[in-house]
Amino acid sequence: MHIVGYEHQGHVHVAARDGSRLIPLGPVEAFWEDPYAAAETAATVAERVESNAVRLVPPVKPGARILCVGLNYSDHVHEGPFDIPDYPTIFGRWTPSLAIGDTPVTVPVDEAGLDWEAELLVAVGKPIHLVDSEQAKAAVFGYAAFNDITARRAQKLTSQWTLGKNADNSGPMSDLATTDEIGEIGGRKVVARVNGEVMQEATTDEMIFDVGQILSHISRTLTLLPGDLIATGTPSGVGYARTPPRLLQPGDIVEVEVEGVGSVSTPVEQAG
């Protein structure tokens, strides 16, 4: 099942895709109270909404935490250059930075361009607190392709990365594919393309910390809740580490694909 968000009477609702139509599953806050039960109702819902008749948005509740993992592929660590971390490196995004496919991202006025970071995104389906990695994996509701588009100048101004990771519309995500459809997430290709040219290509098996380990680690400090999102890190091939560096410019189109999960494409525009 592929889950999307859409605007209905000024509020975000969640739906399951049915070809070009949507199966309404209710308001986003109610959906994430028990996403498994909400998804099961899709089989009994007769109503359909034409997807081109509504504005699609990320299926994310306003209070969701978006926790991102840096330095989770060894080749990307080395291109930094950084040291291999002993624990997952966690930083945060805010929900207003998220977007769906084909939403333009603008280059902030002080940036020479934007950088791409292809990632697997994890959506939490059950509360996770003080659990081991296998229990944590069992609480995953779904996955999406995610591009952690980064304003490198802002990111590198200080030791805290948050500003550079929260430019407007800089977190595009694909539809959310549920785990019952996806199955085991290991060995999936993670690819970034700029104007059709492959810039990053790796598999999820190359992660330093896998999905279960990341979630378990986080759960020792805070309780993850249904609807929280975890971006699991990017492989090597980012723009700033290239010789010469290459950044996204207005007119470029960047695409991220996670094999068997989904893809998300983003056009780049100049700030007005």
Side-chain angles (χ1 to χ4, degrees):
M1 184 179 295
H2 284 240
I3 302 296
V4 300
Y6 68 101
E7 291 187 347
H8 176 66
Q9 297 180 347
H11 300 281
V12 175
H13 283 230
V14 174
R17 282 198 185 270
D18 180 18
S20 64
R21 300 186 298 172
L22 305 177
I23 305 172
L25 299 177
V28 67
E29 292 89 349
F31 176 87
W32 285 111
E33 288 178 4
D34 188 345
Y36 301 97
E40 286 180 0
T41 66
T44 63
V45 175
E47 181 184 359
R48 296 293 186 271
V49 175
E50 293 296 331
S51 60
N52 60 7
V54 294
R55 180 174 180 262
L56 297 179
V57 296
V60 180
K61 63 182 182 181
R65 279 83 59 89
I66 303 111
L67 301 175
C68 305
V69 183
L71 311 177
N72 199 29
Y73 288 77
S74 58
D75 287 349
H76 176 55
V77 174
H78 296 320
E79 74 178 351
F82 299 98
D83 296 325
I84 298 291
D86 294 323
Y87 303 97
T89 302
I90 307 296
F91 61 91
R93 271 186 174 269
W94 293 296
T95 54
S97 72
L98 300 182
I100 63 166
D102 298 323
T103 302
V105 62
T106 58
V107 179
V109 293
D110 292 329
E111 299 289 334
L114 291 168
D115 209 345
W116 56 86
E117 292 194 4
E119 308 203 12
L120 172 72
L121 187 71
V122 176
V124 175
K126 301 175 183 178
I128 303 175
H129 180 64
L130 289 177
V131 299
D132 63 29
S133 60
E134 289 304 313
Q135 292 170 312
K137 283 176 62 177
V140 173
F141 176 72
Y143 299 98
F146 182 71
N147 194 349
D148 184 24
I149 296 174
T150 303
R152 294 294 185 199
R153 182 205 64 87
Q155 180 193 16
K156 295 179 179 181
L157 284 175
T158 71
S159 62
Q160 301 298 314
W161 297 351
T162 305
L163 181 60
K165 295 291 188 174
N166 278 278
D168 296 341
N169 297 326
S170 64
M173 60 180 290
S174 70
D175 292 359
L176 190 61
T178 55
T179 52
D180 59 347
E181 175 179 324
I182 296 302
E184 178 56 49
I185 200 62
R188 304 301 181 103
K189 285 185 180 180
V190 180
V191 181
R193 303 180 186 92
V194 176
N195 302 327
E197 181 182 356
V198 173
M199 296 294 175
Q200 293 178 286
E201 184 170 353
T203 75
T204 52
D205 284 345
E206 298 174 55
M207 290 181 183
I208 298 170
F209 307 101
D210 67 23
V211 169
Q213 290 171 322
I214 294 167
L215 298 178
S216 175
H217 170 73
I218 294 170
S219 82
R220 300 190 66 81
T221 301
L222 61 87
T223 301
L224 289 166
L225 300 173
D228 287 342
L229 302 175
I230 313 297
T232 57
T234 197
S236 63
V238 296
Y240 85 88
R242 292 175 173 267
T243 305
R246 178 173 176 178
L247 297 176
L248 296 168
Q249 301 299 320
D252 287 339
I253 297 177
V254 58
E255 179 189 12
V256 166
E257 179 180 4
V258 178
E259 180 184 10
V261 173
S263 63
V264 60
S265 181
T266 304
V268 182
E269 295 183 349
Q270 186 65 52

